[in-house]
Amino acid sequence: MALFTKKKAAPERPEFEVLPNHLGIIMDGNGRWAKKRGLPRNAGHKEGAETFRAIAKECAELGIKYVTFYAFSTENWKRPQEEVDGIMRLFKEYLLEAKRDFVKAGDNKIIFIGERDGIRQDLIDLMDEAERDTASHNATTINLALNYGGRQEIVSAVNKLIKEGKTEITEDDISANLYTVPECDMIIRPSGEQRLSNFLLWQAAYSEFWYSDVLWPDFTKEDLYSALRDYEKRNRRFGG
Ligand code: FPP
C-alpha cells in the first residue's frame, strides 16, 4: 500500500443536477465599473468584453445548450458616439478572433439576434460569416443580442404574420416567427438593477431571475456557479 496517496485537487467546476437549457445574461455595470476607477466608460466595456469571453466559455464547458448575452439594445444608440464606436470595435475584435480560433476549432454556434439595420457593413459581414461558419456546430449556441429590443422582436414577428396574410394568430405563430431563441429558463442580471430592460420579453415569460450587486466586469465563474446553484433549488411551476 502506498504510504502517501496523492491528494486529489478539488474539482474546479462543480456538478449541477439541473441546468437551464437557455440562460440569458444582461451584461450591466460596465460604466459604473469604469467610473469607480476614474476610467473612461469604454475601459469598462473592454473589461466587460473579457468577462463575456470567460463566461461564454464557462457556460459552454458546463454544457448549457443556449446562452443569450444582451450586448447592445436598440436604445443604446442614444449613447455618445464615441462610446457606441468603442463597443462596435469590441464586437469587431471578438468576431475577428472568433474567425481565427473559436469558429474553426470549436463546436459552438454563434447567432446574432436583433436588427441588422444601423450596423456597419463590415461588422454585418463578419456577423454573417461567424453564423455561416458555425451553422453546423452543435454544442452550445451563443446568442449575441445586438441592436436588440424585445418589443421590436415581437412586432417584427407579428408583421411577418401579417405579410403571410394571417388575420388571427396564436402564441405558437408568434413563437415561430421570433429570432431563433427558445424559451428562457433563467436570466442573470448583475450590477444591482432589477429589471428586464426589454430583454427576451416573450421568451422570458417563465424565466427565473437572479440578481447580484457585482458589476459585470467583476462577474466571475463563481458568480455564475452561485446563480446556477440557486436555479437548481427553484421550484418551477409554470403557472400550474
Ligand atoms: C451595459 O452597461 C453594457 C452595455 C450597454 C454594453 C455591453 C457591451 C459589452 C460587455 C462588450 C461586448 C463585447 C463583446 C465582444 C460581446 P452600462 O454601460 O449601461 O453600465 P452602467 O449601467 O454602469 O453605466
Side-chain angles (χ1 to χ4, degrees):
M1 194 173 53
L3 276 180
F4 301 103
T5 46
K6 228 181 181 177
K7 206 176 167 198
K8 258 198 188 160
E12 211 191 281
R13 182 167 297 118
E15 304 241 320
F16 295 94
E17 264 169 45
V18 57
L19 284 168
N21 178 55
H22 178 198
L23 175 67
I25 301 184
I26 302 178
M27 303 189 282
D28 195 14
N30 297 346
R32 276 163 286 166
W33 183 93
K35 193 171 177 201
K36 264 171 66 178
R37 289 162 178 78
L39 296 169
R41 292 179 60 83
N42 279 344
H45 295 314
K46 190 167 182 341
E47 205 55 36
E50 290 307 320
T51 304
F52 157 76
R53 284 176 174 84
I55 298 300
K57 184 160 182 270
E58 190 57 25
C59 288
E61 302 276 351
L62 283 162
I64 298 175
K65 199 74 192 113
Y66 300 90
V67 196
T68 302
F69 290 89
Y70 203 6
F72 194 86
S73 74
T74 42
E75 287 74 39
N76 287 151
W77 295 109
K78 294 183 207 140
R79 295 194 176 200
Q81 194 57 41
E82 195 191 338
E83 182 173 350
V84 171
D85 290 345
I87 297 174
M88 294 299 151
R89 247 193 325 272
L90 291 169
F91 291 138
K92 187 165 179 181
E93 269 171 27
Y94 171 66
L95 284 168
L96 288 170
E97 173 192 307
K99 197 160 116 165
R100 276 195 314 268
D101 324 325
F102 191 48
V103 173
K104 299 266 172 348
D107 51 2
N108 299 320
K109 191 184 289 205
I110 301 179
I111 290 182
F112 287 90
I113 60 167
E115 298 296 317
R116 296 289 208 256
D117 291 355
I119 301 177
R120 276 180 3 211
Q121 193 55 47
D122 59 333
L123 201 54
I124 293 181
D125 292 345
L126 283 168
M127 288 158 67
D128 289 343
E129 203 177 332
E131 288 188 338
R132 221 172 29 240
D133 287 352
T134 60
S136 63
H137 294 185
N138 52 19
T140 295
T141 297
I142 294 167
N143 296 301
L144 268 164
L146 175 51
N147 196 18
Y148 174 87
R151 287 185 176 175
Q152 158 78 47
E153 180 179 19
I154 297 169
V155 167
S156 114
V158 172
N159 278 329
K160 277 188 224 161
L161 293 161
I162 292 172
K163 272 200 194 118
E164 280 171 22
K166 292 248 184 203
T167 50
E168 208 176 303
I169 55 173
T170 62
E171 289 191 10
D172 286 346
D173 288 329
I174 295 196
S175 295
N177 283 280
L178 297 170
Y179 305 125
T180 55
V181 214
E183 289 281 312
C184 186
D185 301 295
M186 180 184 220
I187 290 186
I188 291 179
R189 181 161 194 164
S191 96
E193 309 293 352
Q194 301 190 5
R195 41 175 190 269
L196 199 47
S197 299
N198 206 12
F199 184 49
L200 298 180
L201 290 187
W202 186 273
Q203 299 88 341
Y206 291 100
S207 267
E208 299 292 324
F209 284 99
W210 192 87
Y211 302 107
S212 146
D213 285 338
V214 68
L215 302 174
W216 176 249
D218 290 329
F219 192 89
T220 60
K221 282 195 257 185
E222 285 66 34
D223 293 312
L224 176 67
Y225 300 153
S226 297
L228 295 173
R229 272 284 170 254
D230 219 14
Y231 180 79
E232 266 183 329
K233 295 186 219 128
R234 304 274 176 109
N235 174 15
R236 304 189 72 203
R237 294 191 304 278
F238 300 94

mmCIF file with all atom_site columns, all heavy atoms in Angstrom, residues 4 8 24 70-71 76 81 86 93 97 134 136 139 149 165 180 190 202 204 206 218 226:
data_model
loop_
_atom_site.group_PDB
_atom_site.id
_atom_site.type_symbol
_atom_site.label_atom_id
_atom_site.label_alt_id
_atom_site.label_comp_id
_atom_site.label_asym_id
_atom_site.label_entity_id
_atom_site.label_seq_id
_atom_site.pdbx_PDB_ins_code
_atom_site.Cartn_x
_atom_site.Cartn_y
_atom_site.Cartn_z
_atom_site.occupancy
_atom_site.B_iso_or_equiv
_atom_site.pdbx_formal_charge
_atom_site.auth_seq_id
_atom_site.auth_comp_id
_atom_site.auth_asym_id
_atom_site.auth_atom_id
_atom_site.pdbx_PDB_model_num
ATOM 1   N N   . PHE A 1 4   ? 1.791   7.317  0.840   1.00 0.00 ? 4   PHE A N   1
ATOM 2   C CA  . PHE A 1 4   ? 1.176   8.628  0.562   1.00 0.00 ? 4   PHE A CA  1
ATOM 3   C C   . PHE A 1 4   ? 0.288   8.530  -0.656  1.00 0.00 ? 4   PHE A C   1
ATOM 4   O O   . PHE A 1 4   ? 0.757   8.112  -1.707  1.00 0.00 ? 4   PHE A O   1
ATOM 5   C CB  . PHE A 1 4   ? 2.258   9.683  0.300   1.00 0.00 ? 4   PHE A CB  1
ATOM 6   C CG  . PHE A 1 4   ? 3.198   9.837  1.452   1.00 0.00 ? 4   PHE A CG  1
ATOM 7   C CD1 . PHE A 1 4   ? 4.475   9.281  1.420   1.00 0.00 ? 4   PHE A CD1 1
ATOM 8   C CD2 . PHE A 1 4   ? 2.784   10.537 2.580   1.00 0.00 ? 4   PHE A CD2 1
ATOM 9   C CE1 . PHE A 1 4   ? 5.326   9.416  2.482   1.00 0.00 ? 4   PHE A CE1 1
ATOM 10  C CE2 . PHE A 1 4   ? 3.650   10.679 3.654   1.00 0.00 ? 4   PHE A CE2 1
ATOM 11  C CZ  . PHE A 1 4   ? 4.928   10.116 3.616   1.00 0.00 ? 4   PHE A CZ  1
ATOM 12  N N   . LYS A 1 8   ? -6.158  14.512 -4.175  1.00 0.00 ? 8   LYS A N   1
ATOM 13  C CA  . LYS A 1 8   ? -6.866  14.917 -5.401  1.00 0.00 ? 8   LYS A CA  1
ATOM 14  C C   . LYS A 1 8   ? -7.163  16.408 -5.361  1.00 0.00 ? 8   LYS A C   1
ATOM 15  O O   . LYS A 1 8   ? -7.635  16.915 -4.347  1.00 0.00 ? 8   LYS A O   1
ATOM 16  C CB  . LYS A 1 8   ? -8.196  14.160 -5.482  1.00 0.00 ? 8   LYS A CB  1
ATOM 17  C CG  . LYS A 1 8   ? -8.178  13.006 -6.424  1.00 0.00 ? 8   LYS A CG  1
ATOM 18  C CD  . LYS A 1 8   ? -9.618  12.636 -6.744  1.00 0.00 ? 8   LYS A CD  1
ATOM 19  C CE  . LYS A 1 8   ? -9.704  11.381 -7.535  1.00 0.00 ? 8   LYS A CE  1
ATOM 20  N NZ  . LYS A 1 8   ? -11.034 10.788 -7.432  1.00 0.00 ? 8   LYS A NZ  1
ATOM 21  N N   . GLY A 1 24  ? -30.136 33.480 -20.025 1.00 0.00 ? 24  GLY A N   1
ATOM 22  C CA  . GLY A 1 24  ? -29.983 34.842 -20.564 1.00 0.00 ? 24  GLY A CA  1
ATOM 23  C C   . GLY A 1 24  ? -29.133 35.661 -19.597 1.00 0.00 ? 24  GLY A C   1
ATOM 24  O O   . GLY A 1 24  ? -29.288 35.530 -18.386 1.00 0.00 ? 24  GLY A O   1
ATOM 25  N N   . TYR A 1 70  ? -27.015 39.909 -23.585 1.00 0.00 ? 70  TYR A N   1
ATOM 26  C CA  . TYR A 1 70  ? -27.574 41.191 -24.028 1.00 0.00 ? 70  TYR A CA  1
ATOM 27  C C   . TYR A 1 70  ? -26.386 42.141 -24.172 1.00 0.00 ? 70  TYR A C   1
ATOM 28  O O   . TYR A 1 70  ? -25.813 42.601 -23.188 1.00 0.00 ? 70  TYR A O   1
ATOM 29  C CB  . TYR A 1 70  ? -28.530 41.701 -22.961 1.00 0.00 ? 70  TYR A CB  1
ATOM 30  C CG  . TYR A 1 70  ? -29.578 42.688 -23.422 1.00 0.00 ? 70  TYR A CG  1
ATOM 31  C CD1 . TYR A 1 70  ? -29.746 43.020 -24.756 1.00 0.00 ? 70  TYR A CD1 1
ATOM 32  C CD2 . TYR A 1 70  ? -30.448 43.256 -22.498 1.00 0.00 ? 70  TYR A CD2 1
ATOM 33  C CE1 . TYR A 1 70  ? -30.745 43.902 -25.155 1.00 0.00 ? 70  TYR A CE1 1
ATOM 34  C CE2 . TYR A 1 70  ? -31.447 44.141 -22.888 1.00 0.00 ? 70  TYR A CE2 1
ATOM 35  C CZ  . TYR A 1 70  ? -31.587 44.463 -24.209 1.00 0.00 ? 70  TYR A CZ  1
ATOM 36  O OH  . TYR A 1 70  ? -32.568 45.334 -24.604 1.00 0.00 ? 70  TYR A OH  1
ATOM 37  N N   . ALA A 1 71  ? -26.017 42.400 -25.414 1.00 0.00 ? 71  ALA A N   1
ATOM 38  C CA  . ALA A 1 71  ? -24.789 43.154 -25.655 1.00 0.00 ? 71  ALA A CA  1
ATOM 39  C C   . ALA A 1 71  ? -25.047 44.602 -26.041 1.00 0.00 ? 71  ALA A C   1
ATOM 40  O O   . ALA A 1 71  ? -24.278 45.498 -25.694 1.00 0.00 ? 71  ALA A O   1
ATOM 41  C CB  . ALA A 1 71  ? -23.975 42.462 -26.747 1.00 0.00 ? 71  ALA A CB  1
ATOM 42  N N   . ASN A 1 76  ? -29.472 51.653 -27.019 1.00 0.00 ? 76  ASN A N   1
ATOM 43  C CA  . ASN A 1 76  ? -28.070 52.023 -26.749 1.00 0.00 ? 76  ASN A CA  1
ATOM 44  C C   . ASN A 1 76  ? -27.460 52.949 -27.813 1.00 0.00 ? 76  ASN A C   1
ATOM 45  O O   . ASN A 1 76  ? -26.425 53.561 -27.578 1.00 0.00 ? 76  ASN A O   1
ATOM 46  C CB  . ASN A 1 76  ? -27.188 50.777 -26.578 1.00 0.00 ? 76  ASN A CB  1
ATOM 47  C CG  . ASN A 1 76  ? -27.419 50.052 -25.269 1.00 0.00 ? 76  ASN A CG  1
ATOM 48  O OD1 . ASN A 1 76  ? -27.242 48.842 -25.172 1.00 0.00 ? 76  ASN A OD1 1
ATOM 49  N ND2 . ASN A 1 76  ? -27.829 50.773 -24.235 1.00 0.00 ? 76  ASN A ND2 1
ATOM 50  N N   . GLN A 1 81  ? -21.472 59.051 -29.327 1.00 0.00 ? 81  GLN A N   1
ATOM 51  C CA  . GLN A 1 81  ? -20.930 58.341 -30.494 1.00 0.00 ? 81  GLN A CA  1
ATOM 52  C C   . GLN A 1 81  ? -19.635 57.601 -30.153 1.00 0.00 ? 81  GLN A C   1
ATOM 53  O O   . GLN A 1 81  ? -19.408 56.466 -30.590 1.00 0.00 ? 81  GLN A O   1
ATOM 54  C CB  . GLN A 1 81  ? -20.706 59.342 -31.644 1.00 0.00 ? 81  GLN A CB  1
ATOM 55  C CG  . GLN A 1 81  ? -20.466 58.692 -32.997 1.00 0.00 ? 81  GLN A CG  1
ATOM 56  C CD  . GLN A 1 81  ? -21.602 57.762 -33.416 1.00 0.00 ? 81  GLN A CD  1
ATOM 57  O OE1 . GLN A 1 81  ? -22.778 58.072 -33.229 1.00 0.00 ? 81  GLN A OE1 1
ATOM 58  N NE2 . GLN A 1 81  ? -21.263 56.589 -33.938 1.00 0.00 ? 81  GLN A NE2 1
ATOM 59  N N   . GLY A 1 86  ? -16.770 52.606 -29.646 1.00 0.00 ? 86  GLY A N   1
ATOM 60  C CA  . GLY A 1 86  ? -15.908 51.735 -28.826 1.00 0.00 ? 86  GLY A CA  1
ATOM 61  C C   . GLY A 1 86  ? -16.518 50.345 -28.680 1.00 0.00 ? 86  GLY A C   1
ATOM 62  O O   . GLY A 1 86  ? -15.829 49.326 -28.817 1.00 0.00 ? 86  GLY A O   1
ATOM 63  N N   . GLU A 1 93  ? -13.452 43.157 -32.852 1.00 0.00 ? 93  GLU A N   1
ATOM 64  C CA  . GLU A 1 93  ? -12.280 42.406 -32.346 1.00 0.00 ? 93  GLU A CA  1
ATOM 65  C C   . GLU A 1 93  ? -12.668 40.973 -32.024 1.00 0.00 ? 93  GLU A C   1
ATOM 66  O O   . GLU A 1 93  ? -11.964 40.022 -32.363 1.00 0.00 ? 93  GLU A O   1
ATOM 67  C CB  . GLU A 1 93  ? -11.773 43.041 -31.044 1.00 0.00 ? 93  GLU A CB  1
ATOM 68  C CG  . GLU A 1 93  ? -10.718 44.093 -31.231 1.00 0.00 ? 93  GLU A CG  1
ATOM 69  C CD  . GLU A 1 93  ? -10.426 44.823 -29.927 1.00 0.00 ? 93  GLU A CD  1
ATOM 70  O OE1 . GLU A 1 93  ? -10.616 44.244 -28.834 1.00 0.00 ? 93  GLU A OE1 1
ATOM 71  O OE2 . GLU A 1 93  ? -10.025 45.997 -30.008 1.00 0.00 ? 93  GLU A OE2 1
ATOM 72  N N   . GLU A 1 97  ? -11.375 37.537 -33.873 1.00 0.00 ? 97  GLU A N   1
ATOM 73  C CA  . GLU A 1 97  ? -10.753 36.492 -33.058 1.00 0.00 ? 97  GLU A CA  1
ATOM 74  C C   . GLU A 1 97  ? -11.534 35.181 -33.220 1.00 0.00 ? 97  GLU A C   1
ATOM 75  O O   . GLU A 1 97  ? -10.942 34.113 -33.386 1.00 0.00 ? 97  GLU A O   1
ATOM 76  C CB  . GLU A 1 97  ? -10.810 37.001 -31.616 1.00 0.00 ? 97  GLU A CB  1
ATOM 77  C CG  . GLU A 1 97  ? -10.387 36.084 -30.531 1.00 0.00 ? 97  GLU A CG  1
ATOM 78  C CD  . GLU A 1 97  ? -10.821 36.723 -29.209 1.00 0.00 ? 97  GLU A CD  1
ATOM 79  O OE1 . GLU A 1 97  ? -10.485 37.902 -28.951 1.00 0.00 ? 97  GLU A OE1 1
ATOM 80  O OE2 . GLU A 1 97  ? -11.515 36.041 -28.434 1.00 0.00 ? 97  GLU A OE2 1
ATOM 81  N N   . THR A 1 134 ? -20.340 28.659 -38.256 1.00 0.00 ? 134 THR A N   1
ATOM 82  C CA  . THR A 1 134 ? -20.647 27.825 -37.081 1.00 0.00 ? 134 THR A CA  1
ATOM 83  C C   . THR A 1 134 ? -22.017 27.148 -37.208 1.00 0.00 ? 134 THR A C   1
ATOM 84  O O   . THR A 1 134 ? -22.458 26.485 -36.276 1.00 0.00 ? 134 THR A O   1
ATOM 85  C CB  . THR A 1 134 ? -20.615 28.666 -35.777 1.00 0.00 ? 134 THR A CB  1
ATOM 86  O OG1 . THR A 1 134 ? -21.598 29.705 -35.878 1.00 0.00 ? 134 THR A OG1 1
ATOM 87  C CG2 . THR A 1 134 ? -19.256 29.286 -35.531 1.00 0.00 ? 134 THR A CG2 1
ATOM 88  N N   . SER A 1 136 ? -23.146 24.561 -38.544 1.00 0.00 ? 136 SER A N   1
ATOM 89  C CA  . SER A 1 136 ? -23.286 23.108 -38.346 1.00 0.00 ? 136 SER A CA  1
ATOM 90  C C   . SER A 1 136 ? -22.786 22.670 -36.963 1.00 0.00 ? 136 SER A C   1
ATOM 91  O O   . SER A 1 136 ? -22.821 21.491 -36.632 1.00 0.00 ? 136 SER A O   1
ATOM 92  C CB  . SER A 1 136 ? -22.489 22.377 -39.424 1.00 0.00 ? 136 SER A CB  1
ATOM 93  O OG  . SER A 1 136 ? -21.118 22.707 -39.262 1.00 0.00 ? 136 SER A OG  1
ATOM 94  N N   . ALA A 1 139 ? -22.694 22.138 -30.215 1.00 0.00 ? 139 ALA A N   1
ATOM 95  C CA  . ALA A 1 139 ? -22.538 22.171 -28.750 1.00 0.00 ? 139 ALA A CA  1
ATOM 96  C C   . ALA A 1 139 ? -23.391 23.338 -28.234 1.00 0.00 ? 139 ALA A C   1
ATOM 97  O O   . ALA A 1 139 ? -24.588 23.361 -28.438 1.00 0.00 ? 139 ALA A O   1
ATOM 98  C CB  . ALA A 1 139 ? -21.077 22.302 -28.388 1.00 0.00 ? 139 ALA A CB  1
ATOM 99  N N   . GLY A 1 149 ? -34.182 44.531 -29.286 1.00 0.00 ? 149 GLY A N   1
ATOM 100 C CA  . GLY A 1 149 ? -35.236 45.003 -28.393 1.00 0.00 ? 149 GLY A CA  1
ATOM 101 C C   . GLY A 1 149 ? -36.328 43.954 -28.373 1.00 0.00 ? 149 GLY A C   1
ATOM 102 O O   . GLY A 1 149 ? -36.734 43.457 -29.429 1.00 0.00 ? 149 GLY A O   1
ATOM 103 N N   . GLY A 1 165 ? -50.495 36.968 -44.600 1.00 0.00 ? 165 GLY A N   1
ATOM 104 C CA  . GLY A 1 165 ? -51.944 37.023 -44.795 1.00 0.00 ? 165 GLY A CA  1
ATOM 105 C C   . GLY A 1 165 ? -52.760 36.560 -43.604 1.00 0.00 ? 165 GLY A C   1
ATOM 106 O O   . GLY A 1 165 ? -53.984 36.389 -43.704 1.00 0.00 ? 165 GLY A O   1
ATOM 107 N N   . THR A 1 180 ? -34.265 33.103 -33.443 1.00 0.00 ? 180 THR A N   1
ATOM 108 C CA  . THR A 1 180 ? -34.252 31.653 -33.189 1.00 0.00 ? 180 THR A CA  1
ATOM 109 C C   . THR A 1 180 ? -33.997 31.225 -31.742 1.00 0.00 ? 180 THR A C   1
ATOM 110 O O   . THR A 1 180 ? -33.370 30.206 -31.504 1.00 0.00 ? 180 THR A O   1
ATOM 111 C CB  . THR A 1 180 ? -33.157 31.022 -34.062 1.00 0.00 ? 180 THR A CB  1
ATOM 112 O OG1 . THR A 1 180 ? -31.943 31.724 -33.750 1.00 0.00 ? 180 THR A OG1 1
ATOM 113 C CG2 . THR A 1 180 ? -33.463 31.111 -35.518 1.00 0.00 ? 180 THR A CG2 1
ATOM 114 N N   . PRO A 1 190 ? -26.396 41.253 -13.356 1.00 0.00 ? 190 PRO A N   1
ATOM 115 C CA  . PRO A 1 190 ? -25.526 41.811 -12.325 1.00 0.00 ? 190 PRO A CA  1
ATOM 116 C C   . PRO A 1 190 ? -25.746 43.317 -12.185 1.00 0.00 ? 190 PRO A C   1
ATOM 117 O O   . PRO A 1 190 ? -26.610 43.870 -12.858 1.00 0.00 ? 190 PRO A O   1
ATOM 118 C CB  . PRO A 1 190 ? -24.129 41.508 -12.863 1.00 0.00 ? 190 PRO A CB  1
ATOM 119 C CG  . PRO A 1 190 ? -24.285 41.459 -14.332 1.00 0.00 ? 190 PRO A CG  1
ATOM 120 C CD  . PRO A 1 190 ? -25.700 41.033 -14.623 1.00 0.00 ? 190 PRO A CD  1
ATOM 121 N N   . TRP A 1 202 ? -40.698 37.925 -24.721 1.00 0.00 ? 202 TRP A N   1
ATOM 122 C CA  . TRP A 1 202 ? -41.579 36.770 -24.978 1.00 0.00 ? 202 TRP A CA  1
ATOM 123 C C   . TRP A 1 202 ? -40.994 35.506 -24.340 1.00 0.00 ? 202 TRP A C   1
ATOM 124 O O   . TRP A 1 202 ? -41.684 34.771 -23.625 1.00 0.00 ? 202 TRP A O   1
ATOM 125 C CB  . TRP A 1 202 ? -41.735 36.588 -26.493 1.00 0.00 ? 202 TRP A CB  1
ATOM 126 C CG  . TRP A 1 202 ? -42.715 35.534 -26.865 1.00 0.00 ? 202 TRP A CG  1
ATOM 127 C CD1 . TRP A 1 202 ? -42.475 34.193 -27.018 1.00 0.00 ? 202 TRP A CD1 1
ATOM 128 C CD2 . TRP A 1 202 ? -44.113 35.714 -27.113 1.00 0.00 ? 202 TRP A CD2 1
ATOM 129 N NE1 . TRP A 1 202 ? -43.616 33.533 -27.351 1.00 0.00 ? 202 TRP A NE1 1
ATOM 130 C CE2 . TRP A 1 202 ? -44.643 34.438 -27.418 1.00 0.00 ? 202 TRP A CE2 1
ATOM 131 C CE3 . TRP A 1 202 ? -44.973 36.815 -27.103 1.00 0.00 ? 202 TRP A CE3 1
ATOM 132 C CZ2 . TRP A 1 202 ? -45.996 34.243 -27.724 1.00 0.00 ? 202 TRP A CZ2 1
ATOM 133 C CZ3 . TRP A 1 202 ? -46.313 36.615 -27.414 1.00 0.00 ? 202 TRP A CZ3 1
ATOM 134 C CH2 . TRP A 1 202 ? -46.809 35.341 -27.711 1.00 0.00 ? 202 TRP A CH2 1
ATOM 135 N N   . ALA A 1 204 ? -38.998 35.107 -21.949 1.00 0.00 ? 204 ALA A N   1
ATOM 136 C CA  . ALA A 1 204 ? -38.754 35.124 -20.500 1.00 0.00 ? 204 ALA A CA  1
ATOM 137 C C   . ALA A 1 204 ? -40.037 35.006 -19.681 1.00 0.00 ? 204 ALA A C   1
ATOM 138 O O   . ALA A 1 204 ? -40.019 35.206 -18.467 1.00 0.00 ? 204 ALA A O   1
ATOM 139 C CB  . ALA A 1 204 ? -38.014 36.410 -20.114 1.00 0.00 ? 204 ALA A CB  1
ATOM 140 N N   . TYR A 1 206 ? -41.605 32.710 -18.329 1.00 0.00 ? 206 TYR A N   1
ATOM 141 C CA  . TYR A 1 206 ? -41.489 31.889 -17.108 1.00 0.00 ? 206 TYR A CA  1
ATOM 142 C C   . TYR A 1 206 ? -40.050 31.778 -16.611 1.00 0.00 ? 206 TYR A C   1
ATOM 143 O O   . TYR A 1 206 ? -39.694 30.825 -15.917 1.00 0.00 ? 206 TYR A O   1
ATOM 144 C CB  . TYR A 1 206 ? -42.102 30.495 -17.350 1.00 0.00 ? 206 TYR A CB  1
ATOM 145 C CG  . TYR A 1 206 ? -43.594 30.574 -17.506 1.00 0.00 ? 206 TYR A CG  1
ATOM 146 C CD1 . TYR A 1 206 ? -44.190 30.550 -18.758 1.00 0.00 ? 206 TYR A CD1 1
ATOM 147 C CD2 . TYR A 1 206 ? -44.410 30.751 -16.387 1.00 0.00 ? 206 TYR A CD2 1
ATOM 148 C CE1 . TYR A 1 206 ? -45.559 30.679 -18.917 1.00 0.00 ? 206 TYR A CE1 1
ATOM 149 C CE2 . TYR A 1 206 ? -45.783 30.879 -16.523 1.00 0.00 ? 206 TYR A CE2 1
ATOM 150 C CZ  . TYR A 1 206 ? -46.351 30.845 -17.792 1.00 0.00 ? 206 TYR A CZ  1
ATOM 151 O OH  . TYR A 1 206 ? -47.718 30.985 -17.921 1.00 0.00 ? 206 TYR A OH  1
ATOM 152 N N   . ASP A 1 218 ? -16.630 42.569 -13.087 1.00 0.00 ? 218 ASP A N   1
ATOM 153 C CA  . ASP A 1 218 ? -16.123 41.800 -11.933 1.00 0.00 ? 218 ASP A CA  1
ATOM 154 C C   . ASP A 1 218 ? -16.818 40.442 -11.794 1.00 0.00 ? 218 ASP A C   1
ATOM 155 O O   . ASP A 1 218 ? -16.519 39.678 -10.875 1.00 0.00 ? 218 ASP A O   1
ATOM 156 C CB  . ASP A 1 218 ? -16.357 42.580 -10.625 1.00 0.00 ? 218 ASP A CB  1
ATOM 157 C CG  . ASP A 1 218 ? -15.462 43.807 -10.527 1.00 0.00 ? 218 ASP A CG  1
ATOM 158 O OD1 . ASP A 1 218 ? -14.344 43.769 -11.066 1.00 0.00 ? 218 ASP A OD1 1
ATOM 159 O OD2 . ASP A 1 218 ? -15.885 44.795 -9.903  1.00 0.00 ? 218 ASP A OD2 1
ATOM 160 N N   . SER A 1 226 ? -22.917 30.324 -8.453  1.00 0.00 ? 226 SER A N   1
ATOM 161 C CA  . SER A 1 226 ? -23.922 30.666 -7.420  1.00 0.00 ? 226 SER A CA  1
ATOM 162 C C   . SER A 1 226 ? -25.301 30.770 -8.041  1.00 0.00 ? 226 SER A C   1
ATOM 163 O O   . SER A 1 226 ? -26.291 30.273 -7.486  1.00 0.00 ? 226 SER A O   1
ATOM 164 C CB  . SER A 1 226 ? -23.649 32.035 -6.789  1.00 0.00 ? 226 SER A CB  1
ATOM 165 O OG  . SER A 1 226 ? -22.458 32.041 -6.131  1.00 0.00 ? 226 SER A OG  1
#
